[in-house]
Amino acid sequence: MTMIKAFIKGHPILTYYVLVFLVSWGSFLVVGGRGFLAGTSWQTDTTFLPAISAMLLGPPAAGLLSVIFISQKAGLCELLSRLFKWQVGGRWYATALLIAPIVEAVVLFSLSQISSVFLPKIVTVADKVSLLLSGIAIGFVGGFMEELGWTGFVIPQLRTRFSILSTGLIVGVFWGIWHMLQMWWVGGTSAEALPPFFFLTLYFLFAIAQLTAYRVLMVWVYDNTKSLLVAILMHSSYIASTLFVLAPPTTGISFLFYSGLFTITLWFIVAVVALVTGYFQIDTARKLSRGE
């Protein structure tokens, strides 16, 4: 037991990722494995949503267990203080809540000039209020559960050693991979006439690149606020806008075209933030000046 504790304290990030994948993927397969392995449609399989819900247990379980193992009560108190830190300035709330929906809306309205299939869902659906409320509610639950792990534990750990950009890249790539089973199930029935291998490969690559770009922005916002609450809201905004309120019912080549443009736009914003604020470069310079 002493050796295990020593290993966990010496390798906190590795321990977190092992735990998060074991709990999330294990739970996903236990709950929805039969439908997932059989390749049933995610839209009609009754185990899909329970499997996604079970997968969400991974980040908070891994994050809280890691905090308890490494910092005990003091770590939990510190996490709670960040969770309830709300006095961060209006511009950071605006940044956290508006980046995802604005980018999504601009991309979709631009593409809708080519085809109406790209119109945001909120424009085409009849019951707009239900869509909006359900999107916000599900988005908040998902953001809360996930960020107890990503921002609650792993990002502060990485920021002691890496820059904002490097931290965002590391967490973003693993964040994308963490969604792999979910993406495989959804993508497996969304290829239309495209070869499944071709569609899934591009779907995975776009999704990982997209989530990584957004995570870099999330780390930047968190670094300026030190608020877990703001990180949860930023994540919630992404889920609500990209998966529910604005998400167009695209599949096949239309989906890949939309997803690729959305990804490119997010990386463009990352570049603009880096150039205009200089924050990424300043952060790196500070670490170099300390000999890190």
Side-chain angles (χ1 to χ4, degrees):
M1 182 62 71
T2 302
M3 291 181 61
I4 294 175
K5 288 183 177 180
F7 178 85
I8 293 173
K9 289 187 176 181
H11 304 84
I13 297 168
L14 174 60
T15 300
Y16 170 83
Y17 278 117
V18 170
L19 283 173
V20 80
F21 278 98
L22 280 176
V23 175
S24 288
W25 284 15
S27 300
F28 182 94
L29 292 173
V30 167
V31 176
R34 179 176 297 180
F36 169 74
L37 295 173
T40 59
S41 172
W42 65 277
Q43 293 174 307
T44 58
D45 195 308
T46 57
T47 65
F48 177 76
L49 288 179
I52 297 300
S53 299
M55 189 176 76
L56 284 174
L57 296 174
L64 292 174
L65 285 173
S66 298
V67 168
I68 291 170
F69 259 107
I70 293 169
S71 305
Q72 289 84 46
K73 185 178 179 179
L76 287 175
C77 291
E78 190 273 338
L79 187 148
L80 286 173
S81 70
R82 289 185 287 127
L83 178 61
F84 293 104
K85 183 178 180 181
W86 60 273
Q87 293 179 311
V88 298
R91 65 180 178 132
W92 292 113
Y93 279 106
T95 301
L97 291 171
L98 297 179
I99 285 180
I102 287 176
V103 172
E104 179 86 347
V106 168
V107 168
L108 290 177
F109 277 117
S110 298
L111 290 175
S112 67
Q113 305 306 306
I114 301 172
S115 171
S116 60
V117 73
F118 295 109
L119 281 172
K121 192 173 183 179
I122 192 70
V123 174
T124 60
V125 74
D127 192 350
K128 293 177 172 52
V129 174
S130 294
L131 175 65
L132 185 62
L133 292 178
S134 62
I136 292 173
I138 296 172
F140 182 78
V141 171
F144 176 79
M145 295 288 283
E146 287 193 47
E147 291 312 313
L148 285 178
W150 310 126
T151 305
F153 177 76
V154 75
I155 286 173
Q157 289 286 325
L158 286 169
R159 282 294 289 125
T160 64
R161 299 166 52 193
F162 298 102
S163 67
I164 291 172
L165 180 60
S166 297
T167 298
L169 292 175
I170 294 168
V171 178
V173 169
F174 280 104
W175 188 31
I177 295 172
W178 179 79
H179 286 87
M180 195 72 74
L181 297 184
Q182 172 190 344
M183 290 189 287
W184 184 281
W185 199 343
V186 173
T189 57
S190 304
E192 287 190 341
L194 295 175
F197 178 79
F198 173 79
F199 177 82
L200 285 172
T201 299
L202 289 182
Y203 178 31
F204 291 155
L205 291 176
F206 285 151
I208 291 172
Q210 183 183 126
L211 289 172
T212 301
Y214 196 72
R215 181 56 68 175
V216 171
L217 294 171
M218 287 187 69
V219 175
W220 169 62
V221 170
Y222 173 75
D223 212 70
N224 280 276
T225 62
K226 296 298 186 293
S227 171
L228 178 53
L229 172 62
V230 173
I232 290 170
L233 293 176
M234 190 167 182
H235 191 150
S236 303
S237 174
Y238 181 87
I239 295 174
S241 58
T242 63
L243 299 183
F244 293 94
V245 179
L246 298 176
T250 53
T251 54
I253 191 66
S254 297
F255 173 80
L256 292 179
F257 192 66
Y258 143 70
S259 184
L261 184 58
F262 184 70
T263 301
I264 290 170
T265 306
L266 279 178
W267 277 109
F268 174 76
I269 292 175
V270 170
V272 169
V273 169
L275 290 172
V276 172
T277 68
Y279 198 81
F280 298 164
Q281 292 87 343
I282 291 171
D283 177 76
T284 302
R286 286 173 179 167
K287 294 180 80 66
L288 289 173
S289 71
R290 295 197 299 263
E292 298 178 9

